[in-house]
Amino acid sequence: MRYLVATDGSTLGDEAVRYAARQAAAFDATLVVAHVLTPDSELIDGTLVLPGEEAAVEEGERVLENARSVANDVADEAATEIDVETQLLTGRPADAITEFAGESDADAIFVGHRGLSEEREQVVGSVAKSVVDKAVVPVTVIR
């Protein structure tokens, strides 16, 4: 089995990782932790440029490493091991998460209810809601 958990590095994102790691430990599943990079793009002289791309990738890798640590702490508490993989994605978060779930044969998706973009999500709809709407596998939303 493969479980996908998406995190943005927020406290609720960490809670989603903890919950998904507990499930992965209980069902001997591989845990795939994903973080979606959504860098702002600019059109400069007809070329698409992603300012701060290197910084965004570094921050994304930091978020994934922290999430791996959270998952390993859960494994230690349960006196077991969890196979943890990480993946940086790009694009619109809900689209990237659900597309990757399909490509990676995920059996379930775990997401936090609200993350770092809470204020924006209240206006345009949450990433979690969009993942639930678009996913073709079960989605667990962590509150």
Side-chain angles (χ1 to χ4, degrees), residues 1-140:
M1 294 189 87
R2 293 177 64 80
Y3 292 159
L4 172 62
V5 59
T7 182
D8 60 2
S10 67
T11 301
L12 202 48
D14 286 349
E15 286 304 313
V17 172
R18 278 187 195 88
Y19 186 89
R22 282 194 219 79
Q23 297 304 306
F27 294 101
D28 195 28
T30 296
L31 182 63
V32 182
V33 182
H35 176 70
V36 182
L37 298 176
T38 55
D40 295 324
S41 60
E42 293 180 22
L43 193 60
I44 299 176
D45 295 329
T47 303
L48 188 62
V49 176
L50 299 174
E53 180 178 4
E54 187 174 315
V57 169
E58 288 175 8
E59 176 63 13
E61 290 172 346
R62 185 198 64 74
V63 167
L64 290 175
E65 191 52 42
N66 180 67
R68 179 188 297 274
S69 178
V70 168
N72 287 333
D73 288 349
V74 169
D76 290 347
E77 291 168 8
T80 189
E81 290 185 18
I82 301 172
D83 182 20
V84 180
E85 299 173 7
T86 60
Q87 184 70 43
L88 274 178
L89 306 173
T90 59
R92 293 178 172 212
D95 292 338
I97 293 163
T98 55
E99 287 170 15
F100 180 73
E103 293 167 3
S104 65
D105 294 324
D107 295 292
I109 301 171
F110 299 84
V111 294
H113 180 255
R114 296 229 185 252
L116 294 176
S117 59
E118 181 176 346
E119 191 173 298
R120 180 175 174 267
E121 289 173 355
Q122 290 175 351
V123 177
V124 297
S126 73
V127 170
K129 180 186 180 313
S130 294
V131 169
V132 169
D133 291 343
K134 295 176 183 206
V136 295
V137 296
V139 177
T140 301

